[in-house]
Amino acid sequence: KYPMQIRSHSVENEVCFINLGDEYEVVNLPQTQILNSPFGFYSLVFDYEKEKKRLKVEQYFTLYAPRVEAKDYHSVVEFARKVDEAETAKIVVRKKSR
């Protein structure tokens, strides 16, 4: 019924490195996720840097709209659900056999 006010323009950018060393190998990396809506942008990128023997995970999230009209609530919730779903992606590694 009423507009939703988001306190501020939000931007988050995180990069995480996971060193695998010589004992572990990547079995599966999730696909890159890119979500764009009128309310925000989200990306989650997985990269295996084989020569450095490490995984790189980069996440970027921003909200554009400081005010969301009641008629757009469903679209905002759907965007948030897709972000939540993307963040459940699993990286699979295993110990190398000798």
Side-chain angles (χ1 to χ4, degrees):
K1 182 174 175 178
Y2 298 102
M4 176 174 47
Q5 190 72 30
I6 299 173
R7 291 184 184 228
S8 67
H9 179 80
S10 176
V11 176
E12 293 179 26
N13 189 24
E14 294 182 45
V15 179
C16 175
F17 294 98
I18 303 164
N19 292 313
L20 298 178
D22 292 325
E23 293 187 32
Y24 293 91
E25 63 186 351
V26 175
V27 175
N28 186 53
L29 276 182
Q31 291 185 348
T32 293
Q33 298 291 315
I34 297 176
L35 305 171
N36 200 5
S37 84
F39 310 105
F41 177 84
Y42 174 83
S43 68
L44 184 60
V45 179
F46 300 91
D47 183 32
Y48 177 49
E49 299 174 340
K50 192 171 186 173
E51 62 285 344
K52 294 182 180 180
K53 301 174 187 170
R54 70 180 185 184
L55 294 169
K56 178 182 176 186
V57 181
E58 185 168 5
Q59 179 190 48
Y60 181 85
F61 178 74
T62 187
L63 291 174
Y64 302 137
R67 179 183 170 106
V68 178
E69 298 300 324
K71 67 180 178 56
D72 295 323
Y73 284 1
H74 176 76
S75 297
V76 171
V77 168
E78 188 60 30
F79 175 69
R81 278 191 193 128
K82 288 179 181 178
V83 169
D84 287 345
E85 183 179 318
E87 292 191 341
T88 64
K90 292 183 177 32
I91 299 169
V92 179
V93 297
R94 70 175 165 220
K95 197 166 191 170
K96 291 180 180 177
S97 55
R98 293 188 178 229

